[in-house]
Amino acid sequence: MVVDLARSWLALSTPVTAAQAAGRPLVALESTIIAHGMPYPENVRTAREVEALIRDAGAEPATIALIGGRIHIGLSDDELELLGRSGRAHKVSRRDLPAVLASGELGATTVAGTMICAALAGIEVFVTGGIGGVHRGAPQSFDISADLQELAKTSVVVVCAGAKSILDIGLTLEYLETHGVPVLSCEQDNFAAFYTRDSGFRADFRLDDPAAQARFIRTKWDLGLAGGVVLSTPVPEAAAMRREEIDALTHQALAEAAAQGITGKAVTPFLLAHIKAMTGGRSLATNIALVKHNAEVGARLALAFARAGRSAGGAA
Ligand code: PSU
Ligand code: MN
């Protein structure tokens, strides 16, 4: 069977295997944020702290990366260190997955790449920082993250702090609507904007209660409506940046990217690094705070899924 063949590429860590055997909920985590989204050593420290938060909440974290020709579901401390430190991990989206797996090289999975691997491993909840989206200027550049197409077809919930204002958030939401991807929010009505709480756009449905979130998502999948769900939650107030500041920085970063002729998969890491440099690291503190908050929201959802699964007779 095709799925069994695909699963033969997986390497589950011992804690992940144990959690699955015990019926403890799993939460997937991506690795592009470690290898390309944050500098060393904050990236590795944050990855470990995020894993600890998920464990403390009663779920098992499963950070996903490609190592030695296998899709690793759950990483050891040494593997996290390797990814965060080596500087040679490929950024792996759907397109890149076969190349990096077949070569046996090191790969850090994006939202799209992580969704594919999480689905193969049977993990339904995935926590990240922000999703990729439709870039500003996309009508000319055609730069639309493969994350959106993955959300259209792969049945995993992506918990995030919205999308960055380096993107065209209005067009990103339009694209998701076209592809039938529901955008849920919790803690506020509007879709979040990563460094800032409010994107200025409403999410489709606000559901603060994890049990209600789980019911919504389970209903979608029960109906055979395959595909992802976005769950947006805003960066905690105390860590949020000012909208005017981030807007000004975004314009500068976009101009710099254009001047340097940055294109393709290099665009997002370039913009992130540029904004970080221009804020003297304050944007990094915001980034870390929002990922940790997302981890708490994701863990609560995974627990609610597990409870609902049991009471409904083990739907999975
Ligand atoms: N947004 C962030 N931080 C990130 C990314 C996005 O705030 O690290 C990463 C995620 O892995 C996301 C990817 O899936 O960038 C999107 O890249 P692209 O735009 O090339 O599809
Ligand atoms: Mn792109």
Side-chain angles (χ1 to χ4, degrees):
M1 211 175 118
V2 174
V3 172
D4 288 337
L5 195 54
R7 284 182 62 92
S8 71
W9 291 87
L10 299 179
L12 274 56
S13 71
T14 308
V16 164
T17 305
Q20 274 191 335
R24 214 145 37 83
L26 286 154
V27 174
L29 296 161
E30 65 152 301
S31 45
T32 291
I33 192 171
I34 303 172
H36 304 280
M38 289 184 193
Y40 183 83
E42 288 90 345
N43 54 359
V44 175
R45 199 185 62 220
T46 303
R48 289 185 180 135
E49 288 173 358
V50 165
E51 290 200 345
L53 280 169
I54 290 172
R55 232 172 251 125
D56 290 349
E60 183 62 33
T63 304
I64 293 178
L66 311 185
I67 305 173
R70 306 293 295 279
I71 300 171
H72 284 246
I73 309 286
L75 301 183
S76 67
D77 259 14
D78 287 349
E79 289 165 339
L80 281 179
E81 181 78 17
L82 173 72
L83 265 172
R85 190 170 197 163
S86 80
R88 55 184 172 77
H90 296 278
K91 176 178 162 185
V92 179
S93 191
R94 171 175 278 264
R95 173 196 60 183
D96 316 290
L97 201 52
V100 178
L101 260 189
S103 72
E105 288 174 15
L106 192 61
T109 49
T110 63
V111 168
T114 307
M115 286 180 77
I116 294 169
C117 301
L120 282 175
I123 304 175
E124 296 171 311
V125 178
F126 160 31
V127 166
T128 184
I131 55 169
V134 179
H135 281 256
R136 298 188 190 192
Q140 276 72 44
S141 67
F142 272 49
D143 191 350
I144 299 174
S145 175
D147 292 353
L148 300 186
Q149 270 302 311
E150 209 54 55
L151 280 160
K153 59 185 162 234
T154 300
S155 300
V156 169
V157 189
V158 181
V159 181
C160 64
K164 280 214 179 70
S165 57
I166 57 172
L167 303 169
D168 187 318
I169 294 181
L171 292 187
T172 300
L173 293 171
E174 288 290 349
Y175 194 101
L176 290 171
E177 180 190 354
T178 299
H179 290 279
V181 179
V183 177
L184 308 183
S185 68
C186 70
E187 298 174 45
Q188 64 180 25
D189 292 345
N190 277 6
F191 188 58
F194 198 83
Y195 294 122
T196 56
R197 290 169 63 86
D198 184 5
S199 69
F201 294 89
R202 281 181 88 86
D204 302 324
F205 310 100
R206 174 176 175 170
L207 295 172
D208 288 348
D209 173 20
Q213 294 159 4
R215 232 176 1 257
F216 178 105
I217 297 156
R218 186 60 70 205
T219 304
K220 171 178 159 67
W221 291 338
D222 280 353
L223 290 171
L225 302 176
V229 174
V230 176
L231 173 58
S232 153
T233 186
V235 60
E237 197 98 53
M241 293 179 71
R242 281 189 314 110
R243 173 96 168 249
E244 309 76 64
E245 182 188 15
I246 205 69
D247 281 350
L249 291 172
T250 300
H251 278 113
Q252 282 180 43
L254 288 167
E256 189 59 35
Q260 292 191 30
I262 308 287
T263 57
K265 68 198 263 188
V267 171
T268 297
F270 178 89
L271 295 174
L272 299 183
H274 204 78
I275 289 173
K276 188 207 155 233
M278 288 190 295
T279 59
R282 271 184 302 119
S283 65
L284 179 59
T286 303
N287 201 338
I288 292 170
L290 69 86
V291 175
K292 288 183 177 176
H293 178 61
N294 296 349
E296 289 165 350
V297 171
R300 284 197 287 269
L301 173 60
L303 290 167
F305 256 134
R307 276 195 294 272
R310 274 202 296 276
S311 62

